[in-house]
Amino acid sequence: MFTVENHRLQTEQLFRGLDQDHQGSVDKQTILYRLQRAGIDHTHQLFTELFDQLTQLPEHARIDCALFAQLTEHHLKPLAKCLQGELIIPDFHSFCREIETIYHHTAQLQSGHIANYIPELAKADPTKFAVSLCTVDGQQFSIGDTNSGFCVQSICKPFIYNTALEQLGETKVHQHIGREPSGQAFNELTLNKKGLPHNPMINAGAIMAASLISADKGNADRLADMIGLWQRASGNLSGIGFSNATHVSELDPADRNYALGYFMRENQAFPPNTNLTQTLEFYFQCCSIELTTQALACSAATLANAGICPLTGQCVFAADTVKNCLSLMYSCGMYDFSGEWAFTIGLPAKSGVSGAIMVVIPDLLGLTIWSPPLDTLGNSVKGIHFCQQLLQTYAFHNYDSVLKYGDKRDPRRQQHGWQFNITLTLLDAASRGDLDEVLRLAAIGVDLSSADYDGRTALHLAAAEGHLPLVCYLIKQIDDIAPLDRWGNTPLDDAQRGRHSSIITLLSGSD
Ligand code: GLN
């Protein structure tokens, strides 16, 4: 009974929020517009039915509260989250405008060369440029050539590794593959001191991981499984395909990958009975899987969301698989630029020679940039530039959290984390008259006029408790010496209540 009543009240509240002119009904476009601004579309499974129902209504249909209740009956919670700013990026619209600005800025770059060692890749259009992102709540945004497909190339490596981990477990997989950056090119003819590939994010390691998975199956089935995995990770977005042309083209200049295979075989790095030719072919097939930036961004979001696809809610990878994968993407995912990337960008990512970069911001979003011209290390020039710009604006670096008072922005929904705690620390110091602690907080950039839920500030508390030196200090530091708390009281009111005459004099400005 209570739940039903609650549901009704919440429906009415949501409806009132939409019906801002108090007309008793809203246009269906109002609802669609609000969803669109939040980054939610019909590909989000929790909203697909609602979108279908809305689409079936006539163009200018008005929706009253009863119809709204009917339409939202099964979607109230996610809809409420979306309309009340409770998604992981509440102001998604503004965030996307920033992404657009960075996109247009980056689009002006002209440098880089398309990879031509695989003939099919050499045909890529250098002017193509697309960016897509998907949050862990399934908010999506894309800009640029987002309908063009491209091959994942090296970005298949995290997925091959994850599959190996899930089939054989971490111990067995790492009996065959190391976990150190190689410090060399992705296809360098080199192994670690144990005669194993350095890590699963470079060619040797991915070929090894490919040899480990579904060894009992033929390549047709292994490829079908891999495409299925990409489909699930990308939330079944259309556009996951396979480029036969690229696959055939990969076989042509494959000497280096064969050389890596034979080198590993010579070092007895493979499990017994590994069919090398079949393994290499499967690896080339995985590189030739084709998708769009939107599908790749959603796959990255699945990694950001601990293995659960944000669009479908389906568990694609176990959380510990994702943790291992992100750790290696962080240290080894950007070829011989990995150390610099970890230092300046500080995020797990994987690059491919088709010009795509898949970036994961754990617990926030997956991001993909695709632009074929590459720098000398094999990373997309625009991809790297875009990320550098993004990281100048937003506190997304893994260790930006230590710069709590830096000037980078953070679009995440505030969880009342440190900001809330720091206000409480300030208020506590103020009520104790601890000037040293307040000076320390000021030195690290804490806003001395910040207030708690009740609107109480440091000045209110210092005045109420009669801490004259602290009041003297605070009034020199803050602009407003008469802030109102939730009961309408100023610090002067508090001082009068406590009969602290010197403070009353100071705050009332009289002698
Ligand atoms: N198919 C490519 C190769 O094996 C993948 C390399 C890459 O994207 N870095 O050479």
Side-chain angles (χ1 to χ4, degrees), residues 117-118 121 152-155 157 186-187 203 250 257 283-284 287 335 350-354 378:
Y117 76 104
I118 297 173
L121 292 184
V152 285
Q153 290 299 327
S154 253
I155 301 178
K157 288 169 183 163
F186 60 84
N187 57 0
N203 288 20
E250 293 249 2
N257 286 322
Y283 165 70
F284 296 138
C287 292
Y335 312 139
K350 187 71 199 84
S351 191
V353 284
S354 49

Side-chain angles (χ1 to χ4, degrees), residues 184-412:
Q184 304 192 47
F186 60 84
N187 57 0
E188 195 69 36
L189 202 53
T190 179
L191 297 175
N192 68 17
K193 286 188 190 113
K194 292 185 190 156
L196 300 178
H198 285 85
N199 66 69
M201 301 296 156
I202 53 173
N203 288 20
I207 293 168
M208 180 58 71
S211 81
L212 301 178
I213 60 183
S214 307
D216 53 325
K217 288 188 181 174
N219 276 355
D221 288 337
R222 291 163 110 194
L223 175 61
D225 288 351
M226 196 49 82
I227 292 178
L229 182 68
W230 276 105
Q231 264 158 351
R232 291 197 301 285
S234 67
N236 301 319
L237 290 175
S238 56
I240 306 282
F242 176 75
S243 167
N244 201 37
T246 307
H247 176 54
V248 173
S249 183
E250 293 249 2
L251 295 172
D252 225 12
D255 291 351
R256 176 55 64 98
N257 286 322
Y258 271 97
L260 286 169
Y262 284 114
F263 191 23
M264 288 191 282
R265 193 161 81 177
E266 185 200 10
N267 279 276
Q268 294 170 358
F270 286 108
N273 306 321
T274 296
N275 181 330
L276 185 55
T277 312
Q278 193 188 345
T279 296
L280 283 160
E281 189 183 285
F282 176 48
Y283 165 70
F284 296 138
Q285 287 174 334
C286 291
C287 292
S288 308
I289 289 172
E290 211 173 49
L291 36 58
T292 59
T293 48
Q294 191 192 6
L296 192 51
C298 180
S299 306
T302 295
L303 295 178
N305 198 31
I308 314 261
C309 174
L311 296 185
T312 60
Q314 195 182 1
C315 179
V316 183
F317 300 115
D320 51 355
T321 302
V322 173
K323 178 181 169 250
N324 289 344
C325 179
L326 294 181
S327 304
L328 290 175
M329 281 169 65
Y330 187 83
S331 55
C332 317
M334 298 297 288
Y335 312 139
D336 199 9
F337 189 65
S338 299
E340 185 63 24
W341 174 273
F343 187 82
T344 52
I345 306 294
L347 290 170
K350 187 71 199 84
S351 191
V353 284
S354 49
I357 300 180
M358 170 176 88
V359 186
V360 177
I361 308 181
D363 299 321
L364 180 60
L365 59 81
L367 168 74
T368 298
I369 308 104
W370 172 58
S371 159
L374 309 178
D375 61 20
T376 49
L377 298 174
N379 293 311
S380 166
V381 172
K382 288 199 180 83
I384 298 280
H385 185 265
F386 181 93
C387 292
Q388 287 167 340
Q389 297 286 305
L390 183 75
L391 265 290
Q392 267 171 30
T393 311
Y394 290 103
F396 290 158
H397 188 294
N398 199 17
Y399 302 116
D400 269 339
S401 55
V402 303
L403 307 173
K404 290 190 170 58
Y405 310 98
D407 52 9
K408 287 192 187 182
R409 280 181 270 160
D410 189 344
R412 275 169 269 228

Side-chain angles (χ1 to χ4, degrees), residues 26-29 57-63:
V26 294
D27 196 325
K28 81 167 179 179
Q29 299 306 336
L57 293 175
E59 183 71 11
H60 297 293
R62 304 285 307 172
I63 298 166

